[in-house]
Amino acid sequence: MNASRHSEALLARFLRYAARGTQSDAAVADAGTIPSTETQRKLAEDIATELRGLGLTDVEVDDNSYLVARVPASPGLEAIPPFGLSAHLDTASDAPGDPVRPLVHRDWDGSPISLADGVVLDPATDTDLARRKGDAIVTSDGTSLLGADDKAGVAEIVTLAEILLSDPSIPHGPIEILLSPDEETGHGMDRVPLRKLKSTAFYTVDGGTAGEIEAECFNAWKVDAVFAGIAAHLGSARGKMVNAVSMAASFVSALPAQESPESTDGRLGYFCALGISGAVERAEVSVFVRDFDIDEMERRLDRLDAIARAVEARYPGGTVTLTRTRQYLNMKRRVDERPEVLSILEEAVRRAGLEPHLKPIRGGTDGSRLTELGIPTPNVFTGGHNYHSRTEWASLAEMIQALDTLVELSRLWAERARDATIRN
Ligand SMILES: [Zn+2]
C-alpha cells in the first residue's frame, strides 16, 4: 500500500496535535499525579472524540488520561489475536513547548532553514536532513520544540485507524490503540490500565529516522551511596575525624572515566555520578549504571561494591552503604521469547520500501516498561528528528513511510495469524 494519498490528512492532523502544548511536568509526576498536566488530559479527550467521529465505538479515556481504543477486525477476522499500537501524548520539557507554532517548508530546496531566535537547521551538519531535499519538512517557528516526539506517532496511529475504517481492501485483525501520558517524565506506564489491554504484543510508535526499529534498551540501575564519617573539631581532628566529603569524592573519582556517558556510545555501558551532597558527617552520591548485557550489569554493580570497600579501607572508621534500585530492564530477552513480534515488524518495514535498521536504545521507553509487564513492545520510527530541541523537525515523506509500515503491520498480523504462526 502507498499511504501517500493520505499525506495531507496525516500532515493536517500532525500540525493540529503539534500546535497543542502538552508538556509533562516531572515534579508533579514524581509526586504521583498522572497526568502531570491538564493539557495532556484535554488532548486525550479530544482525540477520543475524533476517533469516535471516525466511527470507532470502543474508545475510553480513564482518570489518568490513558486512551484505549479498539479498531474492529475486518469481517471474518475477528478471532485473530489483537496487537497494540502505542504513542505518548506529552512532549519533553528540555526546550519550551507551549505554545508551539509549527511551520511547513514544502518542496524544501536543501538550503539552511532559519527560524526565530537564531535557530538554524543546517543540512551541512544534519545528515538526516540533508537527505530530505524536495520533501515537506515540518519545524517549529524556532521558539519551541516541535513535539514530533510523539505527536508524529499519535497522528500516524489515528490516521491508520481512519484508513482501516474506510478502506475494506486491507484485511486486518482487531487492533488496540493506547495513547498514554507522561512518557517524558519516566512515569508513562505507572498507571497503565493493563487489565483493559487484550494484546499479547504492542509496538510503540515513538522512534526517529525512517527504517529504524528499537527492540533493545539498557538495563538500568540506580545506586545510592551513603558515606558516614566522624565529625571532630578541626583544630584537634588528627586521628579522629573521618571526612565523609572526602570519602564521597574518592568514590566518585574511582569511577572509570572511560565508562561514562560522555565517553561511550553504541553498545557500551556506563557509570554516571548524577548527584552529590553532604558534609563531614554524612555525604550522599547517586550513580546511574547502564549496560545492555545483564551479566555485565552484575559486574558493574559488584565493581561499585569493590570501590565502596576500598574507600572504607582508605578511611578507617568511615562506612559506605550502597542501595541498589532497579529502574528498568533490557527488553531484548522478553522480545526474543516472541521472535514473530519483531520479524513481523521488520517485514512491515520492508513492505513499506525500507531496509529495517535495528538500533539499541541508550535509555528506556514506555515499551521497555510494557515489555517488563509481560507485553513485548518494540519501538518503530515516526519520521521525527532532533527530539527535545528547538531544531526538532519531521519529514512528511518519512511520516508516510511510518504510516505505510503500520498499514503493512496490520495486514501482516492477519496474514501470519492465518498461517497460525502467532502464538496466543
Ligand atoms: Zn517519545
Side-chain angles (χ1 to χ4, degrees), residues 10 152-160 205 381-383 399 402-403 406:
L10 175 62
V154 176
E156 285 151 12
I157 291 172
V158 174
T159 307
L160 173 76
V205 186
F381 71 93
T382 63
M399 289 178 62
L403 181 55
L406 300 186

Side-chain angles (χ1 to χ4, degrees), residues 80 351 411-423:
I80 288 178
R351 285 194 186 178
R411 214 196 288 271
L412 272 160
W413 268 80
E415 284 177 19
R416 296 287 171 94
R418 269 184 314 212
D419 301 347
T421 59
I422 295 175
R423 283 176 285 146

Side-chain angles (χ1 to χ4, degrees), residues 112-275:
I113 300 172
S114 293
L115 306 172
D117 291 353
V119 173
V120 179
L121 280 73
D122 189 351
T125 52
D126 186 336
T127 49
D128 280 340
L129 181 61
R131 278 195 283 270
R132 306 309 325 178
K133 190 176 167 194
D135 191 3
I137 303 295
V138 187
T139 67
S140 76
D141 67 353
T143 62
S144 70
L145 48 70
L146 172 63
D149 176 12
D150 190 17
K151 305 287 176 56
V154 176
E156 285 151 12
I157 291 172
V158 174
T159 307
L160 173 76
E162 182 177 42
I163 292 172
L164 295 182
L165 285 161
S166 62
D167 185 347
S169 75
I170 306 163
H172 62 89
I175 296 168
E176 274 181 327
I177 294 173
L178 170 68
L179 302 183
S180 55
D182 277 285
E183 192 268 354
E184 301 291 359
T185 65
H187 294 280
M189 290 295 121
D190 285 8
R191 310 278 169 83
V192 64
L194 215 49
R195 274 174 307 165
K196 275 195 201 169
L197 303 181
K198 297 173 183 166
S199 299
T200 58
F202 255 83
Y203 300 92
T204 47
V205 186
D206 189 19
T209 306
E212 272 175 11
I213 292 174
E214 294 159 322
E216 192 175 358
C217 63
F218 273 141
N219 295 293
W221 260 257
K222 179 167 168 271
V223 174
D224 291 300
V226 175
F227 303 86
I230 298 168
H233 187 284
L234 300 187
S236 54
R238 184 169 186 172
K240 293 181 205 146
M241 186 171 98
V242 180
N243 191 340
V245 174
S246 306
M247 293 172 70
S250 144
F251 181 86
V252 172
S253 64
L255 298 175
Q258 291 313 306
E259 296 174 41
S260 62
E262 60 270 40
S263 48
T264 52
D265 58 16
R267 300 190 58 83
L268 298 168
Y270 61 75
F271 299 92
C272 179
L274 217 58

Side-chain angles (χ1 to χ4, degrees), residues 36 38 63 69 76 81 97 130 136 209 253 258-259 279 291 298 314 316 328 374 384:
S36 62
E38 283 304 304
D63 289 347
T209 306
S253 64
Q258 291 313 306
E259 296 174 41
D291 207 292
E298 277 304 319
R314 196 170 153 199
Y328 52 87

Side-chain angles (χ1 to χ4, degrees), residues 25-38:
D25 185 328
V28 175
D30 286 348
T33 301
I34 306 291
S36 62
T37 52
E38 283 304 304

Side-chain angles (χ1 to χ4, degrees), residues 21-105:
T22 56
Q23 284 179 306
S24 44
D25 185 328
V28 175
D30 286 348
T33 301
I34 306 291
S36 62
T37 52
E38 283 304 304
T39 49
Q40 298 181 71
R41 187 191 301 280
K42 189 77 183 69
L43 181 60
E45 283 166 357
D46 289 351
I47 292 175
T49 305
E50 184 180 356
L51 286 169
R52 289 183 194 111
L54 294 174
L56 285 190
T57 52
D58 193 348
V59 184
E60 254 184 274
V61 178
D62 70 12
D63 289 347
N64 298 113
S65 290
Y66 290 85
L67 182 156
V68 176
R70 289 188 182 81
V71 180
S74 308
L77 299 179
E78 296 84 357
I80 288 178
F83 75 94
L85 295 171
S86 180
H88 60 91
L89 297 157
D90 63 323
T91 57
S93 45
D94 306 68
D98 192 8
V100 177
R101 300 177 199 89
L103 300 176
V104 183
H105 311 266

